């Protein structure tokens, strides 16, 4: 099954962009995912090809018209999840990415200017998705972030060696830190345990570091996942279920 991505944008030339390089680019060439890009402007109804208008109630900027957005969405809608990039959406996380990558693909609407006429979210089954608590100038980079995260999880894209199960966020934790040669660099050495060859000891060290670093850097993650990664029986059980 090919993961099918459909992008709706005012800047179709931005695609595939970075998604045409490296891992995602090779997977695109190999047909592991497909991409089609629709110019929202093609769905403007007037001769000036207008896609936006001034905000109701006044204020700066322009708002994307819901009739134009709906026509563009309807032209590609086929049951795949429809997402609209928006800082007002639910923040994207690895669980959602896994979910999406296990499906048939996604239709991704990219905003510009002040964003979308809110009625599009009432009239169509389109979910606002944010890539973080900051404001971009457009949804295109957000769409690329979302797709890149999905594509690397598609079967056969990363290869068997890295299933991604140990990675950051998969256990509600940041991943442990990595080291490679040279053994000594600028007076710093690699932690001895990693050279011990004792796989149980290495696993324990990595787990401890993952917990410690998550506590320090992402107390919000620790909070959200409770004791899911603790060694306690209840914690272990929760981890298995997730
Ligand atoms: N006025 C809006 C921001 C508009 S930014 C507000 O304050 O909420 C223009 C477009 O960039 C948005 O429509 C959206 O598609 C995209 N965008 C900006 N920040 C984003 C974010 N954090 N996540 C996803 N998309 C974002």
């Amino acid at each position: 099954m090919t993961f099918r991505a459909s992008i709706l944008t005012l800047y179709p030339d931005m695609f595939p962009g970075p998604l045409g390089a490296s891992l995602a680019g090779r997977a695109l060439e190999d047909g592991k995912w497909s991409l089609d890009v629709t110019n929202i402007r093609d769905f403007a109804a007037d001769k000036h090809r207008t896609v936006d208008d001034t905000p109701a109630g006044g204020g700066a900027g322009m708002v994307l018209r819901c009739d134009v957005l709906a026509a563009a969405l309807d032209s590609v809608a086929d049951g795949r999840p429809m997402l609209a990039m928006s800082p007002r959406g639910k923040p994207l996380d690895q669980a959602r990415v896994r979910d999406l990558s296990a499906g048939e693909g996604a239709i991704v609407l990219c905003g510009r200017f002040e964003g979308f006429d809110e009625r599009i979210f009432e009239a169509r089954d389109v979910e606002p998705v944010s890539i973080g608590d900051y404001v971009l100038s457009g949804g295109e980079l957000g769409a690329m972030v979302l797709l890149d995260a999905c594509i690397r999880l598609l079967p056969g894209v990363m290869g068997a060696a890295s299933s991604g199960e140990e990675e950051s966020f998969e256990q509600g934790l940041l991943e442990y830190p990595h080291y490679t040669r040279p053994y000594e660099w600028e007076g710093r050495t690699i932690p001895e345990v990693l050279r011990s060859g004792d796989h149980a000891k290495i696993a324990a060290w990595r787990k401890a570091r993952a917990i410690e670093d998550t506590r320090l850097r992402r107390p919000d993650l620790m909070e959200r996942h409770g004791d899911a990664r603790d060694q306690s029986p209840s914690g272990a059980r929760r981890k298995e279920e997730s």
Side-chain angles (χ1 to χ4, degrees):
M1 191 178 76
T2 299
F3 180 95
R4 288 179 303 123
S6 297
I7 302 288
L8 305 172
T9 172
L10 287 168
Y11 296 92
D13 292 349
M14 287 178 75
F15 292 88
L19 298 177
S22 190
L23 203 79
R26 218 169 314 124
L28 184 59
E29 274 172 26
D30 292 348
K32 297 195 168 104
W33 68 289
S34 72
L35 175 70
D36 57 85
V37 185
T38 296
N39 191 341
I40 297 170
R41 202 170 290 283
D42 292 344
F43 294 86
D46 64 329
K47 70 170 191 237
H48 301 294
R49 306 227 295 161
T50 308
V51 296
D52 57 349
D53 210 331
T54 54
M62 297 295 273
V63 177
L64 289 167
R65 288 172 56 128
C66 50
D67 54 348
V68 178
L69 294 173
L73 278 171
D74 293 348
S75 76
V76 292
D78 62 357
R80 281 172 294 163
M82 297 199 284
L83 314 171
M85 301 315 300
S86 166
R88 281 165 42 81
K90 185 172 173 215
L92 185 67
D93 61 15
Q94 190 67 10
R96 184 78 176 106
V97 164
R98 274 222 175 263
D99 208 57
L100 284 169
S101 69
E104 287 175 58
I107 294 165
V108 188
L109 181 58
C110 303
R112 280 276 157 179
F113 323 126
E114 292 306 316
F116 316 103
D117 183 314
E118 187 67 13
R119 291 171 291 177
I120 194 65
F121 297 105
E122 299 158 16
R124 295 293 184 276
D125 189 12
V126 49
E127 179 196 347
V129 174
S130 168
I131 64 156
D133 293 342
Y134 39 81
V135 180
L136 305 168
S137 56
E140 289 78 11
L141 286 171
M144 289 174 196
V145 166
L146 181 145
L147 289 179
D148 182 84
C150 290
I151 291 158
R152 60 192 289 286
L153 295 180
L154 296 175
V157 171
M158 269 194 295
S162 45
S163 68
E165 269 156 31
E166 280 206 317
E167 280 183 319
S168 293
F169 312 116
E170 293 293 352
Q171 319 278 343
L173 289 174
L174 304 178
E175 198 185 42
Y176 50 80
H178 298 285
Y179 299 86
T180 187
R181 281 177 282 272
Y183 171 66
E184 189 181 335
W185 172 74
E186 295 194 352
R188 293 157 202 282
T189 54
I190 292 172
E192 267 326 305
V193 56
L194 298 180
R195 310 209 313 152
S196 68
D198 182 334
H199 296 298
K201 244 165 79 183
I202 291 170
W205 180 87
R206 285 177 167 168
K207 176 104 179 191
R209 273 301 300 265
I211 292 170
E212 184 186 331
D213 289 354
T214 307
R215 241 182 218 130
L216 281 170
R217 296 174 184 188
R218 295 294 304 275
D220 59 309
L221 278 183
M222 287 313 269
E223 197 124 306
R224 221 179 304 152
H225 294 266
D227 62 350
R229 81 290 287 170
D230 283 351
Q231 304 292 358
S232 67
S234 69
R237 195 160 55 241
R238 240 151 75 195
K239 200 175 74 192
E240 305 242 334
E241 280 162 7
S242 65

